[in-house]
């Protein structure tokens, strides 16, 4: 049995009940087969893959807090410090009821390769809690964030581990977390990214993941003899990534016609109005039914269905496994020719393979959504230098990084005889740098 298959089998036996983690590792290791088999004995002797798929450390802790009725609530908090071969751990915090160790391991594993692809010196980590900020008062969210940080602060630092936002963790949560870190440590340091502009945040960080997704999509289409301008785009999600993906799609001359949240989705034949979306989701923190009320030409549908829309380009920007095989078939039947992931692992393995087999240009999230973490690393640089760059400076750096990521991914795929397979290209390009650093640092 090949070394890769041996590891996949062992991992499945060791991690029952962690399907997302197994899915992420399977996708990566299948792509790495061509690299590993060139030197299989050496990798096996050093237990290289065992070390690659095992987090350096997982911290799990209790998060007690008091709700507005005086009732004590308890949530589970986590930080998965996956791989620090190329830099301090870096990756978001997710507050969502679905959070568990397996989900955070999948995200931390993916983050390691994504961070490597940015070309910046950041290792991979991820964390969060099974806390749902939805429907909570500001005071409850603050109480939760303060309790969460009261435990987490022991394990993070500007040269050690630098968390950021993710699902359910936006500017409000980062502010409360940062305030508590500063209170506990007395340190005014760049320990979190996604901070407010008045206390060390970077301009363009809020927009970075969505904008970066579109910069990469534009380059991918251009290099394949197509263009984004004039195309119809289907987007899922209505949060940070989706909102700014929609905004940049407009700016690049495309027409984004859908968005979705956890209860339903919108089709707007006139194109999604960014100001209305921001007002509904960020200001009012309401459901998308409010969007339909504000835009009478748009249609609200309950449940899932974004991928049944006719579109040229699809950008899944909500959550993992939201684009399944039937969705992929519907997209192809409706003429979609490119899928770029804004979310982490939104496409299931069989859907990815189907899209690739049908000649759809497919870019995995670890490449196409890397703009967020890349700009977080730019925020770290500005914090260390006690400087802040203009929006235009950060945006220009972001664009360069995304274009470079695309070409590194494209070149790696070509070099290993898999031209156009951007999944393999991203995994191989991300892996080579991490592997080099791990080998150089010995058995640690
Ligand atoms: P947000 O919390 O801002 O938005 C998430 C959106 O997805 C919301 O519209 C939410 O609906 C919807 N959603 C969340 N969970 C589900 C679910 N289980 N089923 C259906 N819809 C769901 O998160 P982000 O935009 O920050 O993150 C979206 C994705 O992008 C995630 O996969 C994240 O890991 C990834 N990502 C984010 C980065 C960032 O910089 N923020 C960077 C790189 C990747 P509702 O409004 O109802 O809650």
């Amino acid at each position: 049995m090949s070394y890769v298959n041996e590891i996949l089998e062992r991992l499945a036996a060791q991690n029952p009940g962690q399907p997302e983690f197994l899915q992420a590792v399977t996708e990566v290791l299948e792509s790495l087969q061509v690299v590993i088999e060139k030197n299989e004995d050496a990798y096996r002797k050093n237990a290289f893959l065992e070390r690659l798929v095992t987090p350096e450390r997982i911290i799990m802790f209790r998060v007690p807090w008091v709700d507005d009725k005086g009732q004590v609530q308890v949530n589970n908090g986590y930080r998965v410090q996956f791989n620090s071969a190329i830099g301090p751990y870096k990756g978001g915090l997710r507050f969502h009821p679905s959070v568990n160790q397996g989900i955070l391991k999948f995200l931390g594993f993916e983050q390691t390769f994504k961070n490597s692809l940015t070309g910046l010196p950041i290792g991979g980590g991820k964390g969060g809690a099974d806390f749902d900020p939805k429907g909570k008062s500001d005071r409850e969210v603050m109480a939760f964030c303060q309790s969460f940080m009261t435990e987490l602060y022991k394990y993070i630092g500007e040269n050690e581990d630098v968390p950021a936002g993710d699902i359910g963790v936006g500017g409000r949560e980062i502010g409360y977390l940062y305030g508590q870190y500063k209170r506990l440590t007395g340190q005014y340091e760049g320990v979190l990214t996604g901070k407010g502009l008045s206390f060390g945040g970077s301009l363009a960080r809020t927009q970075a993941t969505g904008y970066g997704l579109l910069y990469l999509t534009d380059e991918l289409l251009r290099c394949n003899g197509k263009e984004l301008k004039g195309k119809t785009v289907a987007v899922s999600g209505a949060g940070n990534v989706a909102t700014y993906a929609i905004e940049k799609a407009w700016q690049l001359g495309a027409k984004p016609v859908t968005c979705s949240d956890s209860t339903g989705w919108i089709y707007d034949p006139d194109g999604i109005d960014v100001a209305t979306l921001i007002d509904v989701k960020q200001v009012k923190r309401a459901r998308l039914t409010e969007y339909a009320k504000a835009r009478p030409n748009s249609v609200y549908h309950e449940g899932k269905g974004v991928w049944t829309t006719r579109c040229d380009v699809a950008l899944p920007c909500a959550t993992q496994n939201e684009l399944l095989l039937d969705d992929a078939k519907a997209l192809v039947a409706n003429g979609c020719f490119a899928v770029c992931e804004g979310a982490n692992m939104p496409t299931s393995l069989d859907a990815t393979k189907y899209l690739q087999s049908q000649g759809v240009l497919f870019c995995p999230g670890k490449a196409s959504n890397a703009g967020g973490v890349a700009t977080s690393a730019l925020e770290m640089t500005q914090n260390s230098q006690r400087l802040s760059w203009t929006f235009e400076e950060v945006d220009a750096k972001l664009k360069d990084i995304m274009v470079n990521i695309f070409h590194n991914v494209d070149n790696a795929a070509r070099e290993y005889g898999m031209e156009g397979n951007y999944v393999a290209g991203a995994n191989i390009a991300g892996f080579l740098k991490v592997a080099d650093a791990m080998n150089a640092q010995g058995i640690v």
Side-chain angles (χ1 to χ4, degrees), residues 63 95 191 230 370 375 377 388 404:
V63 190
F95 292 169
V191 69
T375 308
S388 46
N404 274 336

Side-chain angles (χ1 to χ4, degrees), residues 235-277:
V235 178
S236 65
N240 174 270
V241 181
T243 301
Y244 297 102
I246 289 169
E247 183 168 88
K248 186 52 78 176
W250 279 119
Q251 289 173 11
L252 296 180
K255 185 175 175 187
V257 291
T258 62
C259 62
S260 67
D261 66 13
S262 46
T263 52
W265 62 285
I266 291 281
Y267 174 74
D268 190 336
D270 303 326
I272 298 292
D273 184 66
V274 178
T276 307
L277 183 62

Side-chain angles (χ1 to χ4, degrees), residues 94-96 98 106-107 111 114 126 132 134 164-170 205-210 236-243 260-264 281 286-288 304 316-320 322 341-346 365 368-373 376:
R94 178 176 290 192
F95 292 169
H96 192 271
S98 63
F106 122 61
L107 289 164
Q111 193 83 42
K114 178 190 312 194
K126 201 83 188 186
D132 190 355
K134 245 183 250 152
D166 190 74
I167 291 178
V169 179
R205 172 59 187 93
T206 305
Q207 295 84 353
T209 308
S236 65
N240 174 270
V241 181
T243 301
S260 67
D261 66 13
S262 46
T263 52
K281 297 304 292 187
R287 315 303 325 161
L288 283 175
K304 296 184 172 188
C317 297
T319 192
Q320 64 273 359
E322 50 153 326
E341 296 184 325
N344 285 312
M345 208 171 73
S368 44
N369 71 28
V373 74
S376 277

Side-chain angles (χ1 to χ4, degrees), residues 134-135 238 260-263 276-291 293 300:
K134 245 183 250 152
S260 67
D261 66 13
S262 46
T263 52
T276 307
L277 183 62
I278 289 178
D279 184 54
V280 170
K281 297 304 292 187
Q282 292 180 28
V283 181
K284 299 188 176 128
R285 296 183 189 271
R287 315 303 325 161
L288 283 175
T289 41
E290 296 301 310
Y291 179 98
K293 282 185 198 154
Y300 174 80

Side-chain angles (χ1 to χ4, degrees), residues 388-404:
S388 46
W389 301 330
T390 63
F391 189 98
E392 289 70 25
E393 277 176 282
V394 179
D395 192 34
K397 288 185 192 345
L398 168 66
K399 189 170 178 188
D400 275 356
I401 290 170
M402 298 313 296
V403 168
N404 274 336

Side-chain angles (χ1 to χ4, degrees), residues 31-49:
S31 304
L32 295 182
Q33 186 97 37
V34 286
V35 182
I36 302 294
E37 69 193 8
K38 283 192 175 165
N39 222 341
E40 188 163 297
D41 288 348
Y43 280 118
R44 197 193 292 267
K45 183 153 189 268
N46 285 326
F48 189 86
L49 293 181

Side-chain angles (χ1 to χ4, degrees), residues 185-205:
T185 62
Q187 298 294 311
Y188 207 105
E189 60 180 25
V191 69
L192 292 169
T193 56
K195 298 187 290 299
L197 295 177
S198 55
F199 56 98
S202 173
L203 284 160
R205 172 59 187 93

